[in-house]
Amino acid sequence: MLAYNLQLAWLSLKEHPALTALAVAAIAIGLGILMTIQAQSHQMQSLPVGEDSDNIYLVQIDNRDSNAPNVAESFEMPSLSYRDAMNLMAAETAAQQQTTVWKTRGIVNTFAQDRNPVRAPAVVTTREFFSLFKVPFLYGSGWSAEADEQGAQVAVITRSLNNALFGGADSVGQKITIIESVATIVGVLDDWPIKSQFYDRSFFRGFADDLFLPQGFALNMNLPRYTRIDCRPADMPRMPAYRLGNVQALINSECSWINLWVKLPSSEAVQDYQDFVSSYVDEQKTLGRFPREKNNFLDSIVTHQNIALSNDSRFKLYQRLAWFFAGVCLLNAIVILLAKFIRKTKEVALRRALGARRNTLLMQYLVELVVIGIIGGLLGIVLAYLGLQGMLEIYLYATDYMLPRNTVDQLYSLDWKLVQTALLIGICSTVIAGLYPIWKVCNIAPAPQLKTD
Amino acid sequence: MGLRPLLLSLKQNKFFALLIILQVALTLAAVSHSVFSTTVLLKDWNVPSGLDDENLVYAGAQFFIQNPDRQSAIINDLQNLRSLPGVESVTTTNQTPFAAENVSSVFKASGDQAQRYLAAVFEMNSAALDVLGIELVAGRGFRDNEVVRAELSGTTEYPAVVMLSEALAEDMFGDESALGKTFWPVSNAQPAEIIGVYENIMTGERLNGIGKSYNSAIRPMVLWSANRFDPSYLIRTEPGAAPALLEDVRSALYTQRGRYLYINEVLTRTQKRMYDGRGSQSMVMLTISAVLILITGLGMAGLVSFLVRQRRKQIGIRRALGATKADILRYFLAENSLLTVVGLVLGIFITIAIALKFPALSGDGSLRYDLILMVAILLWLINVFAVFWPARRAANIQPASVIG
């Protein structure tokens, strides 16, 4: 029966090729536009640390001055001051793993002759960064716990920096200069497929961080702080010095600049940790710190990522317009399908008169709709692929090819899940679009139709 | 021809009529909003730069070692760069045109109540006008002894003179001459006398949002400090020599050890980066809008050709009863226009409602009635065009062929 219906559907499609093509085109274009945007959104929402993304939390304490505006979302809340980050790190807590993160820039060179130094965006952190965020290694590994304690002069570099400095060879044990200090490479990262830099809260896409250093080492070198620093208004004039001057001034200040991530595997652990931070704040308040009312945040990577995404107003605009456009295309498809099926009025009337059951006819046309939906869906996927490639090219062009293609192209890619969704949307929307037309045509009373001819 | 037969016929095809109205309305709303955001995006897009950007190189190197001798490095750099074949003149600068990221508040009076003007403030040496290749509109340029060269500290003596762009001078002083007036580059800090007004140059994107792309001032100073980015260089080359010079500039700056080059490019590229992001984003929106209009138009054409076929007999009869070809044509065009106009009116309401409900959808204050009207007229024209061919086919139906 299905094969027969399919055959009929095929014949019917061929019968009005122009109308069929229009219906398919309307569905394909609408779907293409929608999927081009949804694919990016889907990729942006992909979890950087897999399922653990929900269990890794950023710790935030409101350490702003008493006149600061109220804050309802963690996005607007500063990170931690050095003092608080170190106090929280040192305490016995429910955290299974924890690490601190801030950003700097290293000027890196090898000991080879006639090489000019290169600039490397760098992450200052602790050894647990790599295991907490499941960072893959190509050679070597992260540094040891002693290295964290002693601020050892060690570094982990990315595959791309390793390619630039050592031609891709295993460089573990090699020495590089970072500004005026010498560091030993202990590990080289493999490609780390994250869509944006979540670990410093920037959710920045583009230039990947190339260098990872223990905090003690970075502080000894007095590396500049190219990271989000939130200071109270009275401290603002000292901001250039906090960024570039002696780091001790920033360490002693109440400015917030250190991101503390903790892994809390269960809701009890989360509750424990919240209580711990709360009592820490109370205790510090007795010492005269934290002038504002207690307002701690413990949001997961997923929450931070969703907030960052919803703050991307340009993308949101694209998304809204895409839905709009897809809606217009769907309306268009309904109009065309209606025209297409009303043409069958006479045929339906004749078949009904000869005894065909309404459900048989409905079934037949439903199969025809599904066929149109599949063709439209497949074409839509092709269009979405082309759309994504186009968006990628435009993005690279617009940024003047400053960004390496491989750091951004993941955002513009389709995966199986998306293809399935697209096909499903294609079929469903076609069936929805065609439901009224086929229902209408199948409910026409046969007699008047036959009489007029 | 009256409306009555039209309405009667539409009543027969209620669902069609409703769909067409809705489709026209939504198309209008979607296209209008992408046009709104395009106009916001393209505000001050591709305005003339006022600069000969093909023959300007922007290069900068930053020290990473502790306590370098910045003063002699700057003197050496200027000497080395000037002596390169193909280089005409060189100035130090704190930022570059097209990428002047720092928007400053400048004042024509002291005190906390003084009115703010927004401008990009450049710090250059006495070669500024030569390098930029711009003329003075009034006054004079900097003398070499007016340039302050110093390590930045609490006691730095700031320059006593300043030059303003024509646009900033007009903004601040209107029709009055700006020459000789006093100018505060920083609120309540050491003021300077305006000695020259120069032709407008494009400063960068940051001022664009407030439509002040040409507001700039140049102060004669070369400052350095450990807490500040080292001065970079703006280099005027002989015509066409810039691309070939980049490698020489790089070597010249790398002769000084302990620093890295963070920028070295022809200004054309800087300009491209400034404009192309917005340009291509707008192109995407407009292309998608065009596809949408095309789809709507094709849908309309398909639909009318279906209606024509369905009404073949009626048309034939009407022709036989004396209706002219023009009557038939007019009938279809009128029917379609009626639906389109209802759809457009609905669409205008939807567009306005959305713009008021979600101001962020296409940028604040972007609701422009003239643009909605233009999109509406365009949509109507496209629809008339789409209907014209099937309607003409209807007009050509021979009465004899349908009355058998």
Side-chain angles (χ1 to χ4, degrees):
Chain A
M1 195 63 202
L2 184 67
Y4 177 64
N5 274 338
L6 280 174
Q7 202 184 354
L8 283 178
W10 180 244
L11 285 175
S12 163
L13 292 183
K14 281 205 311 196
E15 204 179 335
H16 306 296
L19 275 186
T20 309
L22 267 179
V24 168
I27 287 163
I29 289 174
L31 192 62
I33 294 173
L34 193 63
M35 288 318 285
T36 302
I37 293 301
Q38 289 309 54
Q40 290 173 60
S41 158
H42 168 77
Q43 299 290 7
M44 283 190 229
Q45 279 168 329
S46 75
L47 303 177
V49 200
E51 285 171 5
D52 269 354
S53 309
D54 256 327
N55 297 332
I56 301 175
Y57 298 83
L58 182 75
V59 185
Q60 291 168 291
I61 296 174
D62 194 349
N63 187 19
R64 300 169 304 148
D65 78 318
S66 43
N67 297 325
N70 288 330
V71 154
E73 263 188 348
S74 56
F75 171 78
E76 300 162 273
M77 184 58 80
S79 300
L80 295 177
S81 67
Y82 182 85
R83 188 196 317 196
D84 294 322
M86 293 307 123
N87 285 347
L88 296 179
M89 277 283 272
E92 273 295 318
T93 65
Q96 208 175 49
Q97 279 186 299
Q98 53 184 359
T99 190
T100 54
V101 177
W102 53 274
K103 291 275 300 270
T104 182
R105 205 178 286 158
I107 310 301
V108 180
N109 210 347
T110 61
F111 284 90
Q113 291 299 307
D114 346 307
R115 273 198 64 99
N116 289 322
V118 294
R119 180 166 48 167
V123 176
V124 178
T125 184
T126 68
R127 68 188 296 262
E128 293 210 58
F129 180 91
F130 306 102
S131 53
L132 180 63
F133 296 134
K134 300 200 173 89
V135 191
F137 276 86
L138 185 63
Y139 305 119
S141 64
W143 51 81
S144 63
E146 295 79 56
D148 269 333
E149 277 161 34
Q150 297 156 4
Q153 296 187 272
V154 294
V156 167
I157 62 176
T158 55
R159 189 179 190 157
S160 70
L161 186 60
N162 189 51
N163 287 343
L165 297 177
F166 299 101
D170 182 353
S171 60
V172 172
Q174 298 275 0
K175 298 226 183 309
I176 52 172
T177 58
I178 300 169
I179 306 213
E180 291 176 287
S181 309
V182 177
T184 308
I185 295 174
V186 293
V188 177
L189 298 188
D190 205 346
D191 293 329
W192 186 22
I194 51 170
K195 305 299 191 300
S196 63
Q197 289 161 25
F198 63 91
Y199 44 80
D200 67 343
R201 300 178 63 191
S202 68
F203 291 91
F204 177 69
R205 289 177 212 105
F207 298 107
D209 292 314
D210 273 329
L211 183 65
F212 299 81
L213 303 169
Q215 174 162 279
F217 180 30
L219 294 179
N220 288 341
M221 281 195 283
N222 196 37
L223 288 181
R225 279 68 60 192
Y226 291 118
T227 203
R228 172 172 166 177
I229 304 179
D230 293 277
C231 290
R232 296 181 187 172
D235 284 334
M236 285 309 283
R238 283 189 283 278
M239 191 59 102
Y242 285 152
R243 278 196 192 287
L244 301 170
N246 192 327
V247 70
Q248 203 55 46
L250 181 59
I251 286 179
N252 295 339
S253 76
E254 290 283 3
C255 296
S256 305
W257 56 293
I258 294 189
N259 303 300
L260 170 60
W261 294 98
V262 293
K263 183 172 171 183
L264 304 167
S266 63
S267 51
E268 295 87 63
V270 173
Q271 191 54 53
D272 278 0
Y273 200 88
Q274 262 165 351
D275 295 343
F276 156 68
V277 176
S278 178
S279 60
Y280 171 77
V281 171
D282 292 336
E283 174 199 311
Q284 293 289 314
K285 269 177 175 290
T286 61
L287 301 176
R289 294 188 64 219
F290 302 135
R292 289 176 62 80
E293 207 171 300
K294 187 154 63 182
N295 188 15
N296 307 334
F297 282 97
L298 198 63
D299 275 353
S300 71
I301 296 179
V302 178
T303 312
H304 280 279
Q305 180 167 279
N306 289 340
I307 296 174
L309 210 61
S310 65
N311 284 339
D312 189 340
S313 61
R314 184 176 291 182
F315 187 74
K316 233 167 40 186
L317 163 68
Y318 271 155
Q319 228 171 358
R320 289 222 177 106
L321 279 179
W323 279 108
F324 229 127
F325 283 20
V328 174
C329 287
L330 189 66
L331 265 180
N332 203 18
I334 297 180
V335 174
I336 295 163
L337 288 174
L338 190 57
K340 186 174 157 56
F341 280 103
I342 283 188
R343 282 192 180 186
K344 292 183 195 288
T345 310
K346 236 170 241 164
E347 181 195 323
V348 173
L350 191 62
R351 287 180 60 188
R352 291 285 309 280
L354 292 177
R357 298 213 340 249
R358 199 170 63 187
N359 283 355
T360 316
L361 291 172
L362 272 175
M363 203 55 193
Q364 182 198 325
Y365 294 139
L366 208 56
V367 170
E368 187 173 337
L369 280 179
V370 171
V371 171
I372 293 177
I374 291 175
I375 300 174
L378 289 176
L379 265 179
I381 291 166
V382 173
L383 285 181
Y385 174 78
L386 294 177
L388 286 166
Q389 288 298 307
M391 297 278 283
L392 172 63
E393 289 305 323
I394 287 168
Y395 183 72
L396 290 173
Y397 166 82
T399 50
D400 200 23
Y401 302 97
M402 300 272 281
L403 297 170
R405 177 180 291 261
N406 62 5
T407 60
V408 283
D409 63 357
Q410 300 163 26
L411 267 189
Y412 299 91
S413 59
L414 288 170
D415 57 24
W416 278 116
K417 201 174 155 196
L418 283 166
V419 168
Q420 283 168 16
T421 317
L423 208 54
L424 203 68
I425 295 180
I427 295 170
C428 290
S429 55
T430 314
V431 170
I432 292 169
L435 223 45
Y436 176 77
I438 62 172
W439 182 79
K440 187 166 178 185
V441 80
C442 289
N443 274 301
I444 282 172
Q449 295 297 324
L450 293 173
K451 203 173 63 189
T452 49
D453 252 12
Chain B
M1 189 175 65
L3 269 178
R4 232 180 88 81
L6 258 182
L7 293 174
L8 278 175
S9 145
L10 285 177
K11 220 175 141 189
Q12 293 258 307
N13 287 307
K14 283 193 292 281
F15 193 68
F16 268 129
L18 191 70
L19 279 176
I20 290 174
I21 288 171
L22 259 182
Q23 191 180 349
V24 169
L26 287 187
T27 310
L28 176 74
V31 174
S32 296
H33 275 282
S34 68
V35 170
F36 290 165
S37 45
T38 307
T39 46
V40 172
L41 268 175
L42 292 190
K43 187 177 174 223
D44 278 339
W45 185 72
N46 259 354
V47 295
S49 73
L51 283 171
D52 184 12
D53 48 85
E54 281 171 26
N55 300 315
L56 284 168
V57 171
Y58 176 53
Q62 175 70 25
F63 277 106
F64 55 79
I65 53 173
Q66 300 286 318
N67 307 318
D69 183 352
R70 289 189 159 86
Q71 181 164 20
S72 51
I74 293 168
I75 295 170
N76 284 338
D77 285 343
L78 285 171
Q79 245 165 26
N80 291 343
L81 291 172
R82 271 194 214 110
S83 65
L84 291 176
V87 168
E88 286 186 345
S89 51
V90 185
T91 177
T92 49
T93 184
N94 62 330
Q95 51 183 348
T96 180
F98 307 137
E101 295 281 299
N102 301 320
V103 178
S104 313
S105 297
V106 296
F107 307 84
K108 62 177 179 185
S110 68
D112 295 330
Q113 304 303 316
Q115 191 187 342
R116 275 163 202 283
Y117 297 88
L118 293 173
V121 179
F122 293 90
E123 301 168 9
M124 294 184 177
N125 68 19
S126 52
L129 293 177
D130 286 344
V131 173
L132 292 169
I134 49 176
E135 302 284 328
L136 281 168
V137 179
R140 63 172 180 88
F142 302 136
R143 299 190 185 107
D144 202 51
N145 61 9
E146 287 167 336
V147 181
V148 171
R149 297 177 172 87
E151 169 142 22
L152 184 67
S153 70
T155 58
T156 307
E157 277 289 329
Y158 286 94
V161 294
V162 66
M163 288 192 287
L164 265 54
S165 72
E166 233 181 317
L168 181 60
E170 202 191 310
D171 236 22
M172 294 181 82
F173 302 102
D175 291 337
E176 277 177 70
S177 165
L179 293 184
K181 297 260 170 27
T182 312
F183 175 87
W184 278 262
V186 179
S187 170
N188 292 331
Q190 303 166 18
E193 183 196 341
I194 299 168
I195 54 159
V197 175
Y198 56 89
E199 292 174 331
N200 288 333
I201 56 168
M202 177 70 194
T203 56
E205 292 272 65
R206 285 288 283 276
L207 276 167
N208 259 353
I210 25 188
K212 309 264 177 184
S213 315
Y214 290 135
N215 276 13
S216 67
I218 306 178
R219 305 174 77 188
M221 60 194 215
V222 188
L223 297 181
W224 58 87
S225 96
N227 288 349
R228 213 165 186 257
F229 242 61
D230 294 334
S232 44
Y233 302 97
L234 206 54
I235 305 159
R236 163 154 295 263
T237 71
E238 286 165 9
L245 258 171
L246 291 177
E247 200 42 51
D248 296 340
V249 170
R250 157 183 286 271
S251 318
L253 292 176
Y254 265 129
T255 51
Q256 171 82 48
R257 306 305 295 176
R259 60 184 192 179
Y260 68 95
L261 218 62
Y262 61 87
I263 187 100
N264 183 24
E265 66 182 15
V266 182
L267 268 197
T268 323
R269 221 179 145 192
T270 323
Q271 185 180 32
K272 179 179 180 307
R273 268 204 305 279
M274 173 173 70
Y275 284 138
D276 281 4
R278 291 192 288 150
S280 41
Q281 216 186 329
S282 318
M283 279 311 293
V284 172
M285 300 251 230
L286 291 182
T287 311
I288 296 179
S289 302
V291 170
L292 199 67
I293 292 179
L294 188 75
I295 275 275
T296 309
L298 281 177
M300 196 62 77
L303 183 69
V304 173
S305 73
F306 157 75
L307 287 176
V308 167
R309 202 187 263 242
Q310 209 188 25
R311 297 178 192 164
R312 252 177 93 80
K313 211 167 196 175
Q314 298 167 26
I315 296 167
I317 292 169
R318 283 191 57 196
R319 289 277 284 124
L321 291 178
T324 61
K325 285 187 177 187
D327 285 336
I328 305 293
L329 197 63
R330 211 179 304 138
Y331 172 82
F332 276 101
L333 290 180
E335 180 186 59
N336 176 262
S337 286
L338 181 69
L339 293 179
T340 309
V341 167
V342 175
L344 290 176
V345 171
L346 182 65
I348 289 173
F349 280 116
I350 296 178
T351 309
I352 294 171
I354 291 177
L356 296 179
K357 183 108 200 287
F358 305 104
L361 184 64
S362 43
D364 291 323
S366 60
L367 177 58
R368 294 252 313 261
Y369 297 98
D370 53 337
L371 288 178
I372 303 184
L373 210 64
M374 272 163 64
V375 175
I377 291 172
L378 177 74
L379 270 178
W380 180 72
L381 282 176
I382 298 263
N383 272 354
V384 168
F385 187 75
V387 169
F388 185 74
W389 304 106
R392 214 175 64 154
R393 228 184 28 235
N396 283 335
I397 289 173
Q398 294 300 319
S401 71
V402 288
I403 305 171

